[in-house]
Amino acid sequence: MQLSCDDKDKIGFVKLVGYKMPDTTYSWLNESMNLIECRDKCLNNCSCMAYTNSDIRNGGSGCAIWYGDLIDIRLISATGQNATGQDVYIRMPAEQVNHEEVKHKRKMKVIVILVVSMAIAVVFGILLRPYCICKRTTFRAEKMKTNEMIDQHIEGQSEDLELPFFSLATIIDATNNFSSNNKLGEGGFGPVYKGTLTNEKEIAVKRLSRSSGQGLSEFKNEVILIAKLQHRNLVRLLGYCIEGEEKMLIYEYMPNRSLDFFIFDQRRANVLGWSMRFNIICGIARGLLYLHEDSSLRIIHRDLKASNILLDSKMNPKISDFGMARIFGGDQTEGNTNRVVGTYGYMAPEYAIDGLFSVKSDVFSFGILLLEILSGKKN
């Protein structure tokens, strides 16, 4: 490689680590010089191609310089005998030296960034751990308190209602550990599973979704409210389960699923003759009349729709899903809410727009449902 001697700023040296020294035929040695003096001497001589310490003991001393071609210089293997490579400084154009230095600096920069990032992550993790522990403890305490309040509330009600409690183990065994094969459907509350108890009685298990914040209030509302209602056209609540994070309602099982399963399917709709459709309409009307007028409580369902009408083995209709229902006092005729719940298409306009609900809201939903039963078309 031909290097210019006119401008020393265009000359530099690249450090090679662990190399066998070149052949000494064209070399010069001075044991009294240090490495800096050795570099200057090599830089001032256009024929000098490399330099190093002549003695590498005790940190290095002396000066060895090579002129002309570097013969028999090579990297020594890191293993094996006589693996005693030495650092040697090779003369190069400055831009190539700078390139090597830039690469080295980039490598060091990456290493520094990685080390600093790991240190920050460790410190952050140490500082964050007490906060996470505190939040988790608070969250668990709140959940336990909520569960206790629900349990106490239900137990207080169940003294008069005689509402049975089912253990989680019983429900897991009945549903085959909530097998997907036993899943009947899923709503805003959570999934519903079919189960079979040890006495061969079939049940429907409504499981509160853990991610459903809305479902908790619905659970309390439904378990306290529907247990007080007894009518052949209302689905019957058999019991409940609260254990750990699990909250479930246990209902009688309806083998023919829901009304929408039939009326909106062209093939299955043929099962429903006009007399059967008339009986279903009358059954829904009787159940609704019981909720509004004949029960000990005046109940506004607020979510009357085809999927909430279940059919038993004889195709008798039963109104279900009382999670959205509201109780009215004896003299109360209407209410107002800032939280409009239900299903659009079945909602009365005054309820959907202004949050006003009354028995008329359910009657409007019943009218829409009546049109769907007669026409077989969704609203």
Side-chain angles (χ1 to χ4, degrees), residues 328-366:
F328 269 15
D331 299 327
Q332 190 177 2
T333 57
E334 68 176 26
N336 191 291
T337 180
N338 293 323
R339 178 178 172 234
V340 176
V341 293
T343 306
Y344 287 109
Y346 293 94
M347 286 185 189
E350 70 274 11
Y351 177 53
I353 297 170
D354 299 319
L356 294 173
F357 62 92
S358 64
V359 293
K360 296 177 183 179
S361 307
D362 282 351
V363 173
F364 181 92
S365 301
F366 175 70

Side-chain angles (χ1 to χ4, degrees), residues 6 10 54 74 150 238 275 286:
D6 297 335
K10 295 182 180 180
S54 58
R74 65 180 183 275
I150 295 173
L238 302 179
S275 60
R286 282 193 297 268

Side-chain angles (χ1 to χ4, degrees), residues 109-279:
K109 187 176 181 181
V110 170
I111 293 173
V112 170
I113 290 173
L114 287 174
V115 171
V116 172
S117 300
M118 289 176 64
I120 291 173
V122 170
V123 172
F124 186 73
I126 292 172
L127 294 176
L128 193 62
R129 188 164 182 252
Y131 173 78
C132 291
I133 292 173
C134 180
K135 288 293 287 184
R136 185 167 57 187
T137 303
T138 304
F139 178 73
R140 286 178 177 173
E142 288 177 352
K143 284 192 74 67
M144 288 178 63
K145 185 178 179 181
T146 301
N147 285 353
E148 287 174 3
M149 289 175 64
I150 295 173
D151 219 354
Q152 290 170 4
H153 199 165
I154 293 173
E155 284 176 0
Q157 298 283 337
S158 62
E159 290 177 2
D160 300 325
L161 306 173
E162 298 181 355
L163 189 64
F165 172 83
F166 287 76
S167 69
L168 179 59
T170 300
I171 302 302
I172 289 175
D173 183 58
T175 60
N176 193 20
N177 196 19
F178 303 106
S179 168
S180 58
N181 295 329
N182 288 340
K183 190 173 182 180
L184 298 174
E186 187 162 1
F189 184 106
V192 180
Y193 297 88
K194 178 186 176 182
T196 306
L197 300 175
T198 52
N199 61 1
E200 301 301 319
K201 183 179 180 62
E202 292 182 319
I203 57 174
V205 179
K206 198 174 185 182
R207 188 184 190 188
L208 175 65
S209 173
R210 296 182 184 182
S211 61
S212 172
Q214 177 180 323
L216 186 58
S217 59
E218 293 172 358
F219 180 90
K220 291 188 291 183
N221 190 56
E222 189 159 4
V223 71
I224 293 167
L225 187 152
I226 196 174
K228 296 180 179 180
L229 304 175
Q230 298 293 329
H231 192 273
R232 62 178 177 172
N233 292 117
L234 302 183
V235 69
R236 191 157 60 95
L237 181 66
L238 302 179
Y240 72 99
C241 172
I242 297 178
E243 196 166 325
E245 294 186 351
E246 294 287 357
K247 299 171 188 66
M248 290 172 281
L249 299 175
I250 293 83
Y251 288 94
E252 58 178 332
Y253 173 66
M254 298 286 106
N256 284 317
R257 303 177 68 168
S258 57
L259 182 59
D260 63 331
F261 181 72
F262 286 92
I263 62 174
F264 298 138
D265 182 274
Q266 191 172 4
R267 181 178 55 84
R268 288 191 289 264
N270 294 328
V271 176
L272 302 179
W274 288 116
S275 60
M276 188 177 290
R277 291 179 192 235
F278 180 73
N279 288 335

